[in-house]
């Protein structure tokens, strides 16, 4: 999706907004956060509150030329510079250029607790105003309010001081982000229970444990006076880039459609599919281990090379050496295809990153390599390291992106039963894919044989037979349809009587 095409304010929106420059955030806020107002960013430990606040300032400098002020109440400026350097934020450089200024209000170990009655923010507000005027800041981040008010027992004083901060910042005409802690992911909005009522906007960050994996999400709770997208959206943090939000709601059903066909790499499979795959289609190949899914992928990639097309494969089950060795065993030279510029191979272990990380990396690799074909082997490997919800969001986002780029996508999925049945992966994404090809084992008269069928091909007539196929050193060979076997797809294959046998049985019964 083209983020710029839908990141601006909605027509007729009375509230002027400031683009955050953070990937995905301007989409779900319909153009950014309201200009000149305060936004509360609340979340539990590790939810990326500080990163979001700092990135808001960093992107303001890099993309809009807006100077910023960072007020820190917890970490020292030196620690913040060091921690954010890995994300590509050269804060020291921006400080030298007069574009970034710290206001260090962090506590020292020997600081004494403040007593109610003598608490006064006047000196701090004066320092903030001086910093804003000094660099001409239009953006400001305060991290975090909890460090300021944790010493106060009177909620009324907390509320009044928060209101005072917000009023002072609004008077200075800056757009501000203030962070606050939460004690539960789905509990009270903020620690003191008053922060969200004295700020104009509220953003919630979560870092919840989901199937033994941490999953970060962002939710826009409120943007006063303007609209925004509802619900939680997953996000990740990438080195050199920062926060990247992945909003499914940004997907638009505006993909172009074409009648152009591309080869599967197997001539007989092309005939079964009515002339090959549609160029902008998503194909799922599902089968048990050893049925030839990776072989079908290899032929798909080789077919692309023969047509002069660039192909990209993401392998999550086999190493690079294994892929190259197996392909060579079927007569496909991956090393030669790479050398000619027709193939790029990316191998990663599924548990090496979250699904959000994998998705962003896949999209980035596609953008850089610009392939005509993309293969992913296999989806089932990715599914095992995420929840059903995360996996489905991943598949929807990936398939939507591939279709939008008019790339032919080929995915594989593994069935848990050797002799048939549907895979969990297949059940999750069957409605998303354009074509489904099933590879199955069949037990026939004491022998294991293989059967292939085109279960679904959207927008095209196709062969509906279950065809027997064999695998040898030259690839996958599709033969004749099974005529005397039933129950192959269900995993309960059995021999069916021939016409001669049925007639013989009828005459035998009559006699």
């Amino acid at each position: 999706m083209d983020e710029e095409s839908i990141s601006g304010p909605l027509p007729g929106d009375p509230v002027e907004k400031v683009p955050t420059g953070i990937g995905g955030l301007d989409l779900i806020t319909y153009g950014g956060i309201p200009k000149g107002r305060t936004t509360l960013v609340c979340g539990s430990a590790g939810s990326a509150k500080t990163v979001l606040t700092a990135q808001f300032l960093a992107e303001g400098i890099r993309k809009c030329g807006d100077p910023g002020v960072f007020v820190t109440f917890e970490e020292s400026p030196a620690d913040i510079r060091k921690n954010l350097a890995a994300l590509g934020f050269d804060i020291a450089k921006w400080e030298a250029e007069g574009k970034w200024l710290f206001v260090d209000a962090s506590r020292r170990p020997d600081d004494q607790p403040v007593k109610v009655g003598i608490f006064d923010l006047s000196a701090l507000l004066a320092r903030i105003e001086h910093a804003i005027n000094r660099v001409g800041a239009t953006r400001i981040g305060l991290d975090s309010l909890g460090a300021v008010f944790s010493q106060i027992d009177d909620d009324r004083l907390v509320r009044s001081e928060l209101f005072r901060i917000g009023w002072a910042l609004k008077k200075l005409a800056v757009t501000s982000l203030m962070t606050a802690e939460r004690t539960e992911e789905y509990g009270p909005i903020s620690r003191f229970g008053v922060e969200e009522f004295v700020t104009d906007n509220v953003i919630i960050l979560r870092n919840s444990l989901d199937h033994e994996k941490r999953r970060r999400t962002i939710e826009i709770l409120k943007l006063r006076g303007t609209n925004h997208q509802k619900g939680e959206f997953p996000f990740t943090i990438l080195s050199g880039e920062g926060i990247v939000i992945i909003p499914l709601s940004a997907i638009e059903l505006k993909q172009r459609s074409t009648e152009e066909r591309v080869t599967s790499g197997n001539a007989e499979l092309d005939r079964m599919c009515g002339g090959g795959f549609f160029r902008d289609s998503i194909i799922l190949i599902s089968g048990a281990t050893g049925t030839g899914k990776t072989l079908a992928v290899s032929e798909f990639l080789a077919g692309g090379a023969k047509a002069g097309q660039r192909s990209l494969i993401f392998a999550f089950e086999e190493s690079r050496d294994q892929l190259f060795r197996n392909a060579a065993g079927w007569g496909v030279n991956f090393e030669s295809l790479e050398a000619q510029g027709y193939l790029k191979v990316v191998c990663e272990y599924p548990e090496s990153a979250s699904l959000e990380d994998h998705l962003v990396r896949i999209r980035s690799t596609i953008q850089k390599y610009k392939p005509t074909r993309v293969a992913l082997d296999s989806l089932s490997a990715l599914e095992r390291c995420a929840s059903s919800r995360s996996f489905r969001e991943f598949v929807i986002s990936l398939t939507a992106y591939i279709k939008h780029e008019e790339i032919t996508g080929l995915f594989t999925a593994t069935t848990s039963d050797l002799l048939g049945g549907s895979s969990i992966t297949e059940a999750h994404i069957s409605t998303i894919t354009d074509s489904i090809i099933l590879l199955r084992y069949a037990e026939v008269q004491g022998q294991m044989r293989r059967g292939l069928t085109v279960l679904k091909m959207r927008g095209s007539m196709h062969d509906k037979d279950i065809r027997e196929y064999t695998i040898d050193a030259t690839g996958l060979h599709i033969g004749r349809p099974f005529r005397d076997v039933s129950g192959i797809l269900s995993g309960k294959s059995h021999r069916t009587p021939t016409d001669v046998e049925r007639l013989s049985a009828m005459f035998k019964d009559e006699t």
Side-chain angles (χ1 to χ4, degrees):
M1 265 52 62
D2 183 2
E3 183 168 319
E4 292 183 359
S5 66
I6 48 178
S7 61
L10 291 178
D13 193 336
V15 177
E16 184 179 359
K17 293 182 177 179
V18 173
T20 65
I22 298 173
L25 184 54
D26 290 336
L27 287 170
I28 62 177
T29 57
Y30 294 139
I33 59 177
K35 183 177 182 179
R37 297 184 180 180
T38 56
T39 299
L40 178 69
V41 179
C42 49
S44 58
S47 59
K49 300 183 298 296
T50 301
V51 175
L52 180 68
T53 304
Q55 191 169 346
F56 171 66
L57 301 184
E59 299 299 352
I61 294 171
R62 294 194 293 198
K63 296 180 180 178
C64 304
D66 296 339
V69 170
F70 194 100
V71 184
T72 174
F73 297 104
E74 292 185 307
E75 298 179 276
S76 68
D79 287 339
I80 293 174
R81 291 188 197 98
K82 183 177 179 180
N83 294 339
L84 296 178
L87 299 180
F89 302 161
D90 194 348
I91 297 176
K93 173 177 176 289
W94 295 331
E95 287 180 289
E97 295 172 348
K99 298 176 181 178
W100 181 299
L101 189 63
F102 278 108
V103 173
D104 185 6
S106 57
R107 290 188 61 192
R108 303 294 185 268
D110 56 347
D111 286 347
Q112 298 298 318
V114 178
K115 296 180 181 179
V116 175
I118 63 172
F119 189 81
D120 190 1
L121 285 175
S122 298
L124 175 62
L125 291 175
R127 291 176 60 192
I128 292 174
E129 182 176 0
H130 174 72
I132 291 172
N133 292 332
R134 181 178 171 184
V135 297
T138 57
R139 303 186 183 205
I140 182 170
L142 294 87
D143 185 46
S144 101
L145 296 177
V148 182
F149 298 117
S150 60
Q151 310 165 63
I152 307 174
D153 296 325
D154 189 344
D155 288 347
R156 292 175 300 175
L157 183 58
V158 171
R159 187 183 184 105
S160 66
E161 292 301 324
L162 274 171
F163 181 80
R164 185 180 177 189
I165 292 175
W167 180 84
L169 294 175
K170 188 174 294 187
K171 186 179 178 181
L172 293 168
V174 292
T175 307
S176 56
L177 261 60
M178 301 188 292
T179 70
E181 294 80 11
R182 303 182 72 201
T183 55
E184 300 176 46
E185 298 296 352
Y186 292 94
I189 301 300
S190 57
R191 183 175 179 181
F192 297 100
V194 298
E195 295 95 319
E196 64 269 28
F197 298 108
V198 296
T199 54
D200 299 302
N201 318 302
V202 177
I203 296 175
I204 300 177
L205 302 180
R206 295 186 174 94
N207 186 27
S208 55
L209 189 63
D210 189 359
H211 284 66
E212 301 181 358
K213 289 279 187 178
R214 285 289 174 183
R215 183 172 188 262
R216 288 188 171 101
T217 62
I218 184 170
E219 178 185 3
I220 310 300
L221 184 65
K222 74 171 182 177
L223 291 182
R224 188 168 290 163
T226 184
N227 200 9
H228 58 87
Q229 294 186 19
K230 312 301 189 295
E232 291 184 72
F233 302 92
F235 73 90
T236 187
I237 303 174
L238 299 180
S239 177
E241 191 168 351
I243 289 176
V244 178
I245 300 170
I246 307 168
L248 286 182
S249 55
I251 296 174
E252 298 180 296
L253 294 176
K254 295 182 179 179
Q255 298 92 343
R256 292 179 292 273
S257 183
T258 177
E259 295 293 328
E260 181 183 342
R261 302 267 187 165
V262 298
T263 179
S264 66
N266 186 295
E268 192 58 36
L269 182 56
D270 286 347
R271 282 189 282 270
M272 291 184 68
C273 294
F277 302 143
F278 286 121
R279 190 192 67 197
D280 55 352
S281 62
I282 303 294
I283 304 98
L284 175 68
I285 296 182
S286 176
T289 180
T291 51
K293 299 185 299 297
T294 304
L295 167 56
V297 169
S298 298
E299 292 187 340
F300 173 72
L301 301 176
K306 288 181 180 178
Q309 299 172 343
R310 291 157 66 91
S311 298
L312 173 62
I313 177 173
F314 296 95
F316 294 99
E317 291 188 316
E318 295 179 296
S319 68
R320 178 185 174 87
D321 287 344
Q322 286 176 310
L323 281 175
F324 279 57
R325 180 199 63 194
N326 294 342
W330 299 314
V332 180
N333 192 331
F334 275 7
E335 187 173 355
S336 175
L337 296 183
E338 268 198 326
Q340 297 175 61
Y342 289 125
L343 178 65
K344 183 176 179 62
V345 178
V346 179
C347 298
E348 290 187 341
Y349 195 64
E351 282 81 6
S352 66
S354 67
L355 283 186
E356 291 79 19
D357 288 344
H358 283 305
L359 176 61
V360 173
R361 290 172 185 171
I362 290 172
R363 289 178 54 171
S364 176
T365 305
I366 291 174
Q367 289 170 0
K368 292 176 182 177
Y369 186 65
K370 300 188 183 306
T372 304
R373 299 173 177 228
V374 170
L376 196 153
D377 187 29
S378 78
L379 283 176
S380 301
L382 291 172
E383 183 182 26
R384 70 172 182 247
C385 61
S387 66
S388 296
R389 178 183 176 185
S390 297
F391 178 72
R392 186 167 180 82
E393 289 176 349
F394 167 84
V395 173
I396 292 173
S397 297
L398 179 58
T399 54
Y401 177 74
I402 290 177
K403 288 179 73 67
H404 182 268
E405 297 297 317
E406 297 185 41
I407 295 171
T408 311
L410 181 66
F411 302 159
T412 69
T414 304
T415 60
S416 56
D417 192 333
L418 284 176
L419 292 178
S422 64
S423 68
I424 299 174
T425 305
E426 181 185 317
H428 280 165
I429 70 169
S430 60
T431 58
I432 301 171
T433 55
D434 299 294
S435 304
I436 299 178
I437 298 171
L438 302 183
L439 307 180
R440 295 291 188 261
Y441 287 116
E443 183 182 358
V444 182
Q445 296 181 337
Q447 289 186 331
M448 292 300 293
R449 293 155 69 179
R450 295 184 178 97
L452 177 152
T453 188
V454 180
L455 182 67
K456 161 189 171 183
M457 190 160 184
R458 189 172 288 156
S460 173
M461 297 296 293
H462 59 87
D463 189 330
K464 297 177 177 59
D465 285 326
I466 301 176
R467 307 274 292 273
E468 184 173 6
Y469 69 95
T470 59
I471 296 174
D472 61 21
T474 60
L476 188 149
H477 306 281
I478 302 174
R480 297 179 178 180
F482 283 100
R483 295 304 185 197
D484 57 349
V485 181
S486 298
I488 294 176
L489 299 185
S490 65
K492 300 177 181 178
S493 60
H494 59 276
R495 184 173 179 274
T496 56
T498 64
D499 291 341
V500 173
E501 289 171 332
R502 282 195 293 270
L503 288 173
S504 297
M506 290 172 60
F507 283 119
K508 183 176 180 180
D509 291 342
E510 289 177 359
T511 56

